[in-house]
Amino acid sequence: MVSIALKVNGNAVTGDVDDRMLLVEFLRNDLNLTGTHVGCDTSQCGACVVHVDGEAMKSCSMLAVQADGAEVLTIEGLAVDGKLHPVQAAFQEHHGLQCGFCTPGMIMTSVDMIRRIPDLDDATIRSELEGNICRCTGYQNIVTAVKAASDEMKG
Amino acid sequence: MRYESPTTIKEVVGLLKKERGKAFVLAGGTDLLVGMKLGMIEPDLLVDIKHIPAMRTVKTSKTGFRIGAAVSCAELGEHKAMKKAWPGVVEAANLIGSDQVQGRCTVVGNLCNASPAADSVPALIAAGAKAVIVGADGRRTIAVENIATGPGKTCLKKGEVIEAITLPNQTKTSGDAYLRFTPRTEMDIAVVGVGINLTLEKGLVSKARVVLGAVAPTAITVPEAAEALIGTKVDKKALENLAAACSAACRPIDDKRGSAEYRTRIAGVMAVRAAKIAFKRAGSAA
Ligand SMILES: Cc1cc2nc3c(=O)[nH]c(=O)nc-3n(C[C@H](O)[C@H](O)[C@H](O)COP(=O)(O)OP(=O)(O)OC[C@H]3O[C@@H](n4cnc5c(N)ncnc54)[C@H](O)[C@@H]3O)c2cc1C
Ligand code: FES
Ligand code: FES
């Protein structure tokens, strides 16, 4: 067991975690932040993507102890005062989801992508989403939503 | 299981040496943590090397580059001098996984995981990369091609850790390239990978290194393929000979991604494409 202290969605949190506990398990089981999903056991699906110190990470490919001292942002922390983040709003507007299982990871990846790349075209969006798998939508509406959000956030 | 995150290499070696059970170095964890989740690896100790400043940087010097073992592939991809000198190595490293994996994974982890299909390994070998290994008895430097001894196996002894990868400077008339073939366009395991590094003299190839991945238990250097290019302008005949030599060197497996026959043929096709890119880079760098 190790004691860790970090910031999650702006709040200081502490925990005593098993050395081999994954960050995603800590978020879901200890903090009850179940918006971050687990869709595979091979770090392939991307349903678990969160931001650690501002960068998109698969929270199943990192130990909870490795997030000691870090700032973590999960899907629950995106909306401010009940107002959806522009990427969340665009997914809603453009039907970027069906069952919604992949959506938290898709959105966290998209927010990171829009931050890093100023001019997103469809091909870039598709290649940037390579680490996020969706079994429902066929991706088309996800790409449309990311493009719309990117255009809107540019102003 | 215990997790440790020391800040010096000396401590890493001490921790690894002292551990009676199974000890593993943890770099990006993109192989190791998956192996643990699947129950294939059950470590007693994980030693995280991401907090060791000396392992976190890419250094340039008169003799070339020194890539710290904990440098992520994403960081490598942002290194301008590396991209200019060794575009093939950087492209290979950047093929590993998706963006979220790139932020964590390392080329040394790719090398030590010893998958026959590891993408960065053929490119590193073609570039003449060396691994600096530290253990209780001190440091030794060995060529990257001698690290993996078979699928999942390396020549590292208990308690040893790779501290860095070194690459020579690329000359003005040299160029490298790495290409892989995968059934899907992204996030897949190579059916064939080819790393090629060429040096030109008066417009003709004077030195060549051709390395294949995913077609044998480890990445393999193919001297006959290099000879097919030496003394040529990488013309049609040279490329045909190159393809034949690459196919002849393959000892691949049959699996759902590709039959042995398919891999053997594709190895030649990919080598031709990679040689053209390397030749162009070698010519335009001058
Ligand atoms: C979704 C996904 C996609 C992937 N796609 C690809 C791909 O396209 N191509 C590809 O080649 N690989 C791919 N991989 C595999 C993996 O990401 C790479 O092999 C990666 O380079 C491993 O690096 P790491 O730093 O994460 O290694 P780790 O998991 O930290 O370590 C891997 C092994 O190397 C050992 N090790 C690490 N560093 C050292 C060191 N300094 N000294 C001694 N031993 C060490 C560890 O103990 C462990 O046994 C993928 C993985 C995932 C999860
Ligand atoms: S749960 Fe993390 S990638 Fe699938
Ligand atoms: S909406 Fe169902 S998995 Fe993507």
Side-chain angles (χ1 to χ4, degrees):
Chain A
M1 284 290 219
V2 210
S3 298
I4 58 171
L6 59 157
K7 261 195 177 172
V8 178
N9 300 332
N11 304 316
V13 300
T14 55
D16 290 317
V17 300
D18 192 63
D19 287 35
R20 66 178 289 165
M21 182 188 263
L22 298 170
L23 176 59
V24 67
E25 295 167 337
F26 177 68
L27 295 173
R28 288 178 55 86
N29 305 347
D30 291 22
L31 302 183
N32 283 325
L33 293 170
T34 53
T36 301
H37 291 167
V38 175
C40 71
D41 49 17
T42 50
S43 295
Q44 272 168 318
C45 75
C48 65
V49 172
V50 301
H51 296 181
V52 178
D53 292 328
E55 270 182 65
M57 300 271 168
K58 294 186 170 181
S59 57
C60 72
S61 70
M62 187 170 171
L63 297 170
V65 282
Q66 291 182 297
D68 187 25
E71 289 208 22
V72 175
L73 181 71
T74 72
I75 189 75
E76 288 92 344
L78 271 191
V80 179
D81 297 329
K83 192 172 175 293
L84 292 183
H85 183 280
V87 176
Q88 288 175 305
F91 268 66
Q92 188 180 49
E93 171 75 18
H94 297 277
H95 308 288
L97 62 143
Q98 285 180 24
C99 80
F101 194 85
C102 68
T103 314
M106 285 285 176
I107 290 179
M108 296 312 284
T109 296
S110 303
V111 171
D112 179 72
M113 172 194 326
I114 292 169
R115 175 185 60 80
R116 281 184 296 111
I117 309 171
D119 282 304
L120 280 170
D121 55 30
D122 284 13
T124 311
I125 295 170
R126 281 180 186 275
S127 108
E128 286 287 319
L129 286 177
E130 65 178 318
N132 294 76
I133 295 172
C134 174
R135 61 191 163 183
C136 307
T137 61
Y139 301 97
Q140 186 54 48
N141 287 355
I142 293 177
V143 176
T144 310
V146 177
K147 181 84 175 82
S150 158
D151 291 346
E152 191 200 320
M153 286 166 76
K154 263 192 297 202
Chain B
M1 192 208 82
R2 222 155 35 94
Y3 166 89
E4 299 279 357
S5 60
T7 52
T8 65
I9 294 164
K10 215 174 146 196
E11 286 170 87
V12 176
V13 173
L15 282 162
L16 292 174
K17 192 170 178 221
K18 236 182 30 215
E19 178 61 38
R20 292 249 176 95
K22 282 191 212 129
F24 284 85
V25 172
L26 176 68
T30 61
D31 280 314
L32 200 48
L33 295 184
V34 171
M36 285 165 59
K37 269 186 279 179
L38 298 177
M40 286 162 13
I41 306 169
E42 291 294 340
D44 297 295
L45 171 68
L46 286 187
V47 183
D48 192 342
I49 55 171
K50 289 250 170 184
H51 298 276
I52 300 167
M55 286 194 175
R56 294 295 316 247
T57 54
V58 181
K59 287 207 181 93
T60 52
S61 72
K62 277 201 192 102
T63 52
F65 296 86
R66 187 181 179 286
I67 305 165
V71 171
S72 74
C73 291
E75 286 162 347
L76 202 57
E78 283 157 16
H79 199 277
K80 290 208 178 74
M82 262 299 294
K83 260 173 35 188
K84 187 156 184 280
W86 294 107
V89 171
V90 174
E91 281 160 9
N94 287 163
L95 278 172
I96 300 171
S98 58
D99 187 60
Q100 307 96 339
V101 169
Q102 281 284 306
R104 302 201 65 74
C105 71
T106 63
V107 292
V108 176
N110 197 220
L111 175 63
C112 294
N113 188 55
S115 157
D119 278 308
S120 69
V121 177
L124 287 172
I125 297 175
K130 295 195 170 89
V132 184
I133 303 171
V134 188
D137 305 327
R139 270 185 181 69
R140 60 188 179 116
T141 300
I142 70 171
V144 163
E145 55 262 48
N146 296 327
I147 296 285
T149 54
K153 294 204 174 70
T154 68
C155 70
L156 296 184
K157 296 193 210 98
K158 186 176 152 59
E160 282 188 328
V161 52
I162 295 182
E163 178 184 45
I165 296 288
T166 61
L167 285 167
N169 276 321
Q170 186 67 304
T171 70
K172 280 222 165 75
T173 56
S174 300
D176 78 327
Y178 175 79
L179 288 180
R180 70 167 181 188
F181 184 80
T182 54
R184 298 176 68 220
T185 52
E186 317 270 3
M187 289 268 287
D188 204 345
I189 299 170
V191 161
V192 168
V194 185
I196 296 188
N197 183 27
L198 298 179
T199 303
L200 309 186
E201 234 170 78
K202 299 195 182 92
L204 301 180
V205 175
S206 61
K207 277 191 222 153
R209 265 165 87 78
V210 179
V211 185
L212 299 176
V215 294
T218 63
I220 48 170
T221 307
V222 189
E224 299 79 15
E227 274 152 35
L229 297 175
I230 289 171
T232 75
K233 282 190 169 146
V234 188
D235 48 70
K236 195 157 169 273
K237 186 83 194 111
L239 290 171
E240 274 170 27
N241 293 340
L242 166 75
C246 285
S247 293
C250 292
R251 286 173 280 135
I253 53 162
D254 258 315
D255 75 359
K256 63 179 179 202
R257 287 196 175 74
S259 64
E261 195 189 344
Y262 181 70
R263 286 172 192 256
T264 302
R265 198 176 137 79
I266 290 295
V269 175
M270 298 313 278
V272 166
R273 292 184 193 168
K276 285 183 186 166
I277 299 172
F279 183 66
K280 204 167 155 209
R281 283 177 177 163
S284 64

